Amino acid sequence: MSRIIVITSGKGGVGKTTITANLGTALAQLGRSVVVVDADFGLRNLDLLLGLENRVVYTALEVIAGECRLEQALVKDKRTSNLALLPAAQTRNKTAVKPEQMRQLVSQLSDNHDYVLIDSPAGIEQGFRNAIAGATEAIIITTPELAAVRDADRVVGLLEAAEVRPTRLIINRLRPDMVSANQMMSVEDVVEVLAIPLVGIVPEDREVIVSTNKGEPLVLSSHPPLAAQALQRIARRLEGETVDFPNVASLGESFWERAKRFLNQRVI
Amino acid sequence: MLLDFLDQWFSRHTGSSRDQAKQRLKLILAHDRADLTPAALESMRLEILAVVSRYVELDSEGLQFSLATEEGTTALIANLPIRRVKPLQVSLSQPEGERA
Ligand SMILES: Nc1ncnc2c1ncn2[C@@H]1O[C@H](COP(=O)(O)OP(=O)(O)O)[C@@H](O)[C@H]1O
Ligand SMILES: [Mg+2]
């Protein structure tokens, strides 16, 4: 059974595109066939993070308009076998995409891929509606900041109403030094208020920016830095493996107890 | 070690940046989730106070009224300090419609 997962957040700039590119690559490295879909029409980025921008010919828009076949629009990643990108249109077309069309598109993609990962735009308007349309599960990205968590909570509610479940949480850009100095909310704090299961913690890592500049996902590096290791662990958790959260020790015992509770159940 | 621990413990409880964020977040989410407009909340507050004041005299200084969210559940929390109980003047008559 193939999985259609939307990666969303409400707030912009929290790491949706970075995480989509890396999770897609990591899952492909595990031997899965993966397609990442850029649903951020008008602000396409996913091709850049994957270093595939020069190979984009057609986009999802042409496929929807019937101007090309789906296979023609897919960009195969040469570095990572099993990984393909469906790019978004960069120019906002007059013919707005409708949720029903997106639903059809991702369902078609799911026929011959194990994973369809959809990179959602920021916000909760039409673009978000389109991104979640065909999804059967969701990963919510937040950073440990007030505005990001607030928006994430809003999105959790909307996904619930749209019956997209399960929803899982990734906390990105965590700074353990600031947490231990009590300057930043901890993983425990965020999980407690959002009350959805945690699937991963990605630390703040300057290597993320370096990899973006290169157009090479972080998980491809020969010595994966901390953030990349975290993303690889998330890929394995998605595959159903039980993978320990490593920086638990530095975050204290009560975190672990609480995290465990939230890991496999949705508390409302 | 111990001093570090005490330092952290106290800073957490005297409003560290982390603690402030968390407290504000809980309040914000409680309001977001309840989806009550500030006007609706205020009118609810006034009505509740009116009802309670028929029975007891409240200490207007210490009144607290807020939404809080804990473990994914939102609750309306009111702290209404009582100054004195009023002599009972309400008759426990049946509601209008049910009278014979
Ligand atoms: N873990 C991280 N450490 C450092 N920088 C990060 C991390 N995650 C994301 N970023 C940076 O944050 C910015 C926004 O990321 P992006 O993936 O484009 O967010 P979104 O798609 O949610 O708008 C980018 O500049 C990216 O390099
Ligand atoms: Mg993005």
Side-chain angles (χ1 to χ4, degrees), chain A residues 48-230:
Chain A
L48 287 182
L49 296 207
L50 289 165
L52 296 175
E53 68 274 16
N54 292 327
R55 304 202 13 236
V56 174
V57 182
Y58 297 112
T59 71
L61 215 57
E62 280 85 46
V63 180
I64 287 171
E67 290 162 17
C68 75
R69 283 176 296 113
L70 181 54
E71 303 83 72
Q72 289 177 293
L74 288 181
V75 183
K76 304 244 169 14
D77 193 328
K78 285 181 182 147
R79 287 169 307 200
T80 314
S81 53
N82 308 332
L83 179 64
L85 162 75
L86 180 62
Q90 178 60 359
T91 50
R92 204 175 278 277
N93 202 297
K94 279 155 261 156
T95 55
V97 179
K98 294 184 190 69
E100 193 41 46
Q101 296 170 316
M102 279 297 285
R103 195 190 309 277
Q104 262 180 24
L105 197 64
V106 295
S107 137
Q108 214 178 324
L109 284 169
S110 72
D111 287 342
N112 39 18
H113 294 90
D114 296 322
Y115 283 91
V116 181
L117 301 185
I118 306 162
D119 180 22
S120 149
I124 51 173
E125 312 302 328
Q126 186 66 25
F128 167 77
R129 295 275 162 209
N130 286 337
I132 68 168
T136 52
E137 46 190 305
I139 293 179
I140 295 174
I141 317 289
T142 188
T143 61
E145 287 162 278
L146 272 182
V149 178
R150 180 193 203 173
D151 292 358
D153 187 68
R154 192 74 202 283
V155 164
V156 170
L158 293 172
L159 287 166
E160 207 165 74
E163 294 180 1
V164 179
R165 59 173 77 97
T167 51
R168 296 187 187 81
L169 180 68
I170 292 180
I171 301 177
N172 189 24
R173 309 195 76 158
L174 188 81
R175 297 192 48 178
D177 56 328
M178 288 186 72
V179 174
S180 60
N182 274 328
Q183 291 168 328
M184 184 181 247
M185 281 189 289
S186 67
V187 170
E188 178 194 13
D189 295 340
V190 177
V191 170
E192 184 192 323
V193 291
L194 285 181
I196 60 170
L198 182 70
V199 72
I201 306 156
V202 183
E204 172 82 20
D205 193 332
R206 346 164 25 117
E207 294 296 326
V208 171
I209 293 168
V210 177
S211 91
T212 306
N213 292 342
K214 278 196 284 195
E216 183 182 295
L218 210 52
V219 294
L220 283 179
S221 38
S222 43
H223 299 290
L226 282 176
Q229 294 173 27

Side-chain angles (χ1 to χ4, degrees), chain A residues 13 16-18 40 43 45 119-121:
Chain A
K16 292 178 293 294
T17 306
T18 307
D40 202 346
L43 293 170
N45 274 333
D119 180 22
S120 149

Side-chain angles (χ1 to χ4, degrees), chain B residues 38-82:
Chain B
L41 196 65
E42 175 61 11
S43 117
M44 178 167 72
R45 192 181 73 91
L46 293 175
E47 280 186 50
I48 290 177
L49 288 184
V51 170
V52 176
S53 303
R54 290 216 298 267
Y55 297 85
V56 294
E57 194 176 304
L58 293 170
D59 174 7
S60 56
E61 293 289 292
L63 292 178
Q64 278 178 333
F65 215 87
S66 67
L67 291 174
T69 184
E70 203 65 60
E71 304 277 327
T73 309
T74 299
L76 170 69
I77 296 180
N79 184 10
L80 314 175
I82 295 168

Side-chain angles (χ1 to χ4, degrees), chain A residues 146 149-150 153-154 179-186 188-189 192-195 258 261-262 267-268, chain B residues 7-9 11-12 16-22 24-26 28-29 32-33 69-73:
Chain A
L146 272 182
V149 178
R150 180 193 203 173
D153 187 68
R154 192 74 202 283
V179 174
S180 60
N182 274 328
Q183 291 168 328
M184 184 181 247
M185 281 189 289
S186 67
E188 178 194 13
D189 295 340
E192 184 192 323
V193 291
L194 285 181
R258 283 173 189 257
R261 222 170 355 108
F262 286 118
V267 181
I268 298 181
Chain B
D7 191 41
Q8 280 192 15
W9 181 259
S11 66
R12 174 184 302 186
S16 66
S17 165
R18 167 192 174 182
D19 220 37
Q20 286 174 355
K22 196 176 168 190
R24 286 180 65 205
L25 183 62
K26 282 189 168 179
I28 294 165
L29 290 193
D32 283 358
R33 285 173 184 167
T69 184
E70 203 65 60
E71 304 277 327
T73 309

